[in-house]
């Protein structure tokens, strides 16, 4: 698993700026649109559960689960950006992730934040 498979976030060409801060330096909030979120629920397949169980006995990183969580967070982020775009935003402030177990069948990942219209200062 290469380093590119461990990360996420936006590419340089995104038309919606997503930040974890209250503001975006160099921009002014022209209009607040409101909360947006992207949600996905993923189940683990049997092979990764068995592998994770064996690995947990000897210690070390659970690479299959790490890769699945990265893919899941990226999908939630993509859905967040799409929701912001559809509502007319070009920015999302205070973006956060929330991760919970979903009825013992999978993991729910929600990316959420405040959709805004930003103008360059």
């Amino acid at each position: 698993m290469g380093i590119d498979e461990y990360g996420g976030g936006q590419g340089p060409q995104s038309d919606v700026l997503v930040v974890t801060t209250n503001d975006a330096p160099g921009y002014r909030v022209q209009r607040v649109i409101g909360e947006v979120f992207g949600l996905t629920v993923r189940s683990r397949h049997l092979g990764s559960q068995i592998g994770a169980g064996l690995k947990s006995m000897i210690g070390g990183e659970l690479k299959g689960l790490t890769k699945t969580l990265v893919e899941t967070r990226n999908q939630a982020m993509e859905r967040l950006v799409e929701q912001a775009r559809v509502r007319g935003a070009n920015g999302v402030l205070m973006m956060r992730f929330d991760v919970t177990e979903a009825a013992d069948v999978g993991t729910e990942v929600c990316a959420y934040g405040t959709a805004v219209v930003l103008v360059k200062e």
Side-chain angles (χ1 to χ4, degrees):
M1 199 155 113
I3 191 67
D4 57 327
E5 294 178 290
Y6 285 106
Q10 293 185 286
Q13 307 302 325
S14 182
D15 59 334
V16 177
L17 177 65
V18 179
V19 297
T20 59
T21 54
N22 292 330
D23 54 14
Y27 294 88
R28 178 177 54 80
V29 174
Q30 183 179 54
R31 182 168 53 103
V32 174
I33 294 172
E35 180 192 13
V36 289
F37 66 90
L39 180 68
T40 185
V41 178
R42 295 274 181 103
S43 65
R44 293 185 295 247
H45 62 78
L46 183 59
S48 72
Q49 286 180 319
I50 292 170
L54 294 172
K55 186 72 170 189
S56 69
M57 287 191 264
I58 59 172
E61 181 180 8
L62 306 174
K63 290 184 180 185
L65 294 179
T66 299
K67 185 175 180 181
T68 298
L69 186 54
V70 167
E71 291 168 353
T72 303
R73 285 175 65 129
N74 287 342
Q75 184 177 45
M77 179 86 156
E78 289 167 10
R79 290 177 177 177
L80 166 82
V81 168
E82 185 58 29
Q83 285 296 312
R85 186 181 294 118
V86 165
R87 294 182 60 192
N90 66 349
V92 176
L93 304 178
M94 294 295 297
M95 193 285 293
R96 300 286 188 265
F97 285 107
D98 185 42
V99 179
T100 57
E101 286 297 312
D104 294 330
V105 296
T107 302
E108 172 191 324
V109 175
C110 182
Y112 63 95
T114 303
V116 296
V117 174
L118 297 170
V119 292
K120 209 150 181 61
E121 291 185 321

